């Protein structure tokens, strides 16, 4: 049986440039290795999970090409166009949308950025595309403030009374507390039902474990894998390949932590969102490594899980502010993406290089 191929994309605002650079490389390698100029990311993954900026990237890679001919590409966008999205719109989403005002304004409205530009851009790019229209099974995370619970927008909804526009889903998953105000959206199957959502990064900034659990609970046929009757079941860890890509987190600035015992309410409020959204990233990576370590490939002893990120021990070459969309910082993030790629293709005992993982994606297509 072919293994289920999973892509997981972290949150991180404008730092989504880093995974976008990595995925551009993967797509170009897929084109080169398959000798198919129309090969796309969506063609070589069976399931995608994204949080915040990772959710936006997920939608880019899975938006169908409505004008595709018999031999045309399956998706509307190339991986290169996802990078262009940040270069083209990053300044409008963040820098241009920044609200001005001092402490008095923050006390009454903590959101730093006006969401109007972001909402307009999402409407332009995705219009009335719905989650069920995405090319492959996909989950995008958010936190529902009304039910006080995590929520997964799912492109293969098994509940007939739920349907959401992609633009609303992306507005929800990117509503990072203190950055953007919560998203007020409607279920298109029940317009009287309103959700009030914030960034899924508050509980799953690295959605790898969510992706793993969702695939374990998803029927193979729903993942669009050909199966025999004997294999007509849910996949286990040994049946999976996962590439998880980070956004170079952990670089944000905190005030003098030695004096944190004297921080007031405002200082904690200003810093707790970054602490919360960054805190679980490494923990989830550790858990995933432990899971996949138990099901190493019997032929070569290597793991089918690959985590790619800017090296945590290397000095940052980009701003720790995930809303810094200046031209200079975007170029620095592109360079950081190239460094992450170089690290991903270094040989480490028991792990596959990124190029070897790409070969696995093709072999299991």
């Amino acid at each position: 049986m072919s293994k289920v191929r999973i892509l997981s994309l972290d949150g991180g605002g404008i730092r989504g440039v880093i995974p976008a650079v990595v995925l551009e490389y993967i797509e170009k390698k897929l084109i080169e290795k398959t000798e198919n100029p129309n090969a796309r990311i969506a063609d070589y993954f069976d399931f995608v999970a994204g949080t915040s900026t990772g959710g936006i990237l997920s939608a880019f890679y899975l938006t169908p090409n409505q004008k595709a001919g018999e031999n045309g590409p399956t998706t509307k966008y190339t991986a290169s166009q996802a990078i262009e999205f940040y270069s083209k719109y990053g300044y409008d989403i963040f820098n241009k949308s920044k609200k001005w005002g001092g402490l008095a304004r923050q006390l009454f409205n903590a959101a730093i950025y006006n969401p109007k530009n972001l909402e307009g851009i999402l409407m332009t790019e995705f219009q009335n595309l719905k989650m069920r229209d995405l090319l492959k099974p996909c989950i995008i995370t958010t936190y529902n403030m009304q039910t006080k619970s995590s929520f997964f927008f799912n492109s293969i909804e098994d509940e007939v009374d739920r349907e959401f526009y992609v633009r609303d889903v992306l507005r929800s998953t990117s509503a990072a507390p203190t950055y953007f105000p919560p998203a007020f959206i409607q279920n298109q199957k029940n317009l009287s039902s309103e959700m009030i959502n914030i960034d899924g990064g508050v509980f799953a900034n690295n959605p790898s474990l969510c992706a793993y659990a969702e695939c374990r609970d998803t029927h193979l046929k729903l993942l669009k894998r050909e199966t025999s009757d004997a294999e007509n079941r849910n996949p286990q860890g040994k049946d999976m390949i996962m590439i998880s890509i980070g956004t170079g987190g952990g670089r944000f600035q905190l005030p003098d932590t030695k004096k944190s015992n004297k921080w007031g309410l405002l200082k904690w409020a200003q810093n707790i969102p970054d602490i919360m959204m960054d805190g679980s990233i490494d923990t989830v990576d550790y858990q995933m490594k432990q899971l996949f370590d138990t099901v190493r490939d019997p032929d070569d002893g290597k793991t089918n899980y690959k985590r790619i990120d800017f090296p945590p021990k290397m000095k940052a070459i980009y701003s720790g502010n995930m809303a810094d969309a200046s031209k200079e910082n975007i170029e620095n993030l592109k360079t950081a993406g190239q460094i992450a790629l170089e690290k991903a293709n270094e040989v480490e005992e028991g792990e596959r290089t990124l190029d070897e993982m790409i070969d696995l994606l093709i072999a299991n297509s």
Side-chain angles (χ1 to χ4, degrees):
M1 180 185 75
S2 295
K3 296 183 184 297
V4 175
R5 301 158 299 177
I6 304 167
L7 175 63
S8 175
L9 301 171
D10 284 17
I14 196 64
R15 297 197 312 263
V17 170
I18 294 175
V21 167
V22 173
L23 284 156
E24 180 187 49
Y25 174 88
I26 292 175
E27 188 167 274
K28 287 181 176 179
K29 279 294 182 180
L30 289 170
I31 291 171
E32 174 190 319
K33 290 174 178 287
T34 62
E35 299 182 346
N36 175 11
N38 291 320
R40 296 290 182 265
I41 292 294
D43 302 330
Y44 290 89
F45 285 97
D46 305 298
F47 188 91
V48 181
T51 289
S52 193
T53 197
I56 293 175
L57 286 172
S58 299
F60 263 95
Y61 303 131
L62 299 180
T63 295
N65 181 7
Q66 304 292 355
K67 300 179 181 178
E70 185 175 340
N71 299 313
T74 55
T75 63
K76 178 180 178 180
Y77 301 103
T78 64
S80 296
Q81 286 175 296
I83 300 177
E84 293 170 9
F85 173 83
Y86 291 101
S87 299
K88 182 178 180 181
Y89 293 124
Y91 188 87
D92 288 342
I93 292 172
F94 292 111
N95 304 52
K96 194 175 178 179
S97 299
K98 190 170 185 178
K99 298 177 182 177
W100 300 103
L103 178 61
R105 185 200 61 77
Q106 294 182 44
L107 289 174
F108 290 98
N109 188 340
I112 302 171
Y113 302 96
N114 188 313
K116 295 296 183 183
N117 283 349
L118 173 60
E119 291 168 355
I121 290 165
L122 294 176
M123 170 62 85
T124 298
E125 295 296 333
F126 300 105
Q127 298 181 19
N128 291 331
L129 186 74
K130 295 175 181 175
M131 282 294 290
R132 61 178 169 81
D133 297 324
L134 296 178
L135 284 172
K136 291 293 179 69
C138 171
I139 58 168
I140 295 176
T141 65
T142 196
Y143 182 86
N144 185 338
M145 294 178 67
Q146 288 182 299
T147 61
K148 305 180 189 65
S149 62
S150 57
F151 186 87
F152 298 93
F153 294 105
N154 197 324
S155 65
I156 49 173
E157 284 281 9
D158 55 3
E159 294 190 31
V160 295
D161 61 340
R162 291 208 309 226
E163 186 171 74
F164 298 95
Y165 287 125
V166 168
R167 65 174 189 265
D168 289 339
V169 170
L170 302 185
R171 173 67 177 87
S172 295
T173 195
S174 57
T178 75
Y179 287 85
F180 288 107
F184 289 67
I185 72 167
Q186 289 179 312
N187 174 0
Q188 297 305 303
K189 286 289 185 69
N190 182 5
L191 295 179
S192 64
S193 174
E194 184 178 60
M195 295 181 70
I196 304 175
N197 302 327
I198 59 174
D199 196 321
V202 298
F203 72 92
N205 212 30
N206 175 351
S208 299
L209 197 57
C210 298
Y212 175 85
E214 189 72 20
C215 282
R216 283 284 290 116
D217 194 44
T218 302
H219 201 286
L220 281 172
K221 285 187 176 179
L222 288 177
L223 293 173
K224 302 181 181 179
R225 300 312 309 249
E226 294 296 328
T227 62
S228 66
D229 289 338
E231 297 170 336
N232 194 10
R233 56 181 174 77
N234 297 22
Q236 302 177 46
K238 65 183 178 61
D239 305 315
M240 300 179 190
I241 301 165
M242 181 183 288
I243 294 179
S244 171
I245 312 179
T247 60
R251 314 286 174 159
F252 60 93
Q253 298 297 313
L254 286 174
D256 187 355
T257 54
K258 291 182 179 180
K259 296 181 179 179
S260 58
N261 61 322
K262 297 181 180 179
W263 284 4
L265 181 61
L266 181 61
K267 189 158 288 188
W268 275 109
Q270 290 172 328
N271 291 285
I272 202 66
D274 286 328
I275 295 171
M276 288 176 58
M277 289 190 286
D278 190 72
S280 65
I281 292 175
D282 293 337
T283 301
V284 172
D285 178 41
Y286 172 80
Q287 292 166 333
M288 294 309 302
K289 285 178 178 175
Q290 296 306 305
L291 280 170
F292 276 85
D293 192 55
T294 63
V295 289
R296 287 181 177 271
D297 193 306
D299 294 327
D300 57 20
K302 293 185 178 181
T303 177
N304 290 334
Y305 168 78
K306 182 73 174 179
R307 174 69 173 174
I308 304 169
D309 204 351
F310 185 80
K313 295 182 181 179
M314 183 179 289
K315 184 178 179 181
I317 59 173
Y318 52 89
S319 170
N321 181 0
M322 66 179 184
D324 182 356
S326 64
K327 184 177 180 180
E328 178 184 8
N329 193 47
I330 288 177
E331 291 305 312
N332 288 340
L333 287 165
K334 290 179 182 178
T335 301
Q338 293 298 328
I339 293 172
L341 280 172
E342 293 171 10
K343 179 67 176 176
N345 269 319
E346 291 179 3
V347 178
E348 295 189 22
E349 185 177 357
E351 293 190 5
R352 301 185 195 278
T353 65
L354 175 56
D355 283 351
E356 290 174 332
M357 293 295 288
I358 294 170
D359 288 336
L360 266 185
L361 296 178
I362 296 170
N364 284 272
S365 61

